Amino acid sequence: MIAALLVPGWAAGASQPDISAEQRQACQGDYLRHCLGTAPGEGRVLACMAANFAKLSPKCAASLAEAACDPQTAAMVPLSIECPARPIAPAAE
């Protein structure tokens, strides 16, 4: 809770369009360690996380990788990773 008070852009409920609540929770410690000086907004936090991807905790890295591989959020997560193949939905008959 103290970290949330110190880092308003990562506090629960804060307006932060470039990260989800799950990413915020999974990555708060990584933000404090690697990206504290990064101003939230316009994808800057995610860019910092991507630049430090190899240093991130497994939970944070997995959260960001999942977002990078999700077609609905991939454009927001600047990671170049190989995503697992997604099953193709059968065509409607």
Side-chain angles (χ1 to χ4, degrees), residues 16-78:
Q16 182 64 28
D18 58 356
I19 62 170
S20 70
E22 293 80 18
Q23 290 168 330
R24 186 172 15 301
Q25 182 177 6
C27 298
Q28 184 144 356
D30 293 283
Y31 172 80
L32 292 172
R33 277 187 293 283
H34 307 296
C35 301
L36 185 57
T38 305
E42 298 180 14
R44 288 184 293 265
V45 170
L46 287 173
C48 178
M49 291 292 193
N52 289 286
F53 191 76
K55 301 175 192 173
L56 300 180
S57 66
K59 188 175 181 179
C60 180
S63 175
L64 293 179
E66 182 178 324
C69 291
D70 183 336
Q72 293 181 343
T73 57
M76 295 177 4
V77 183

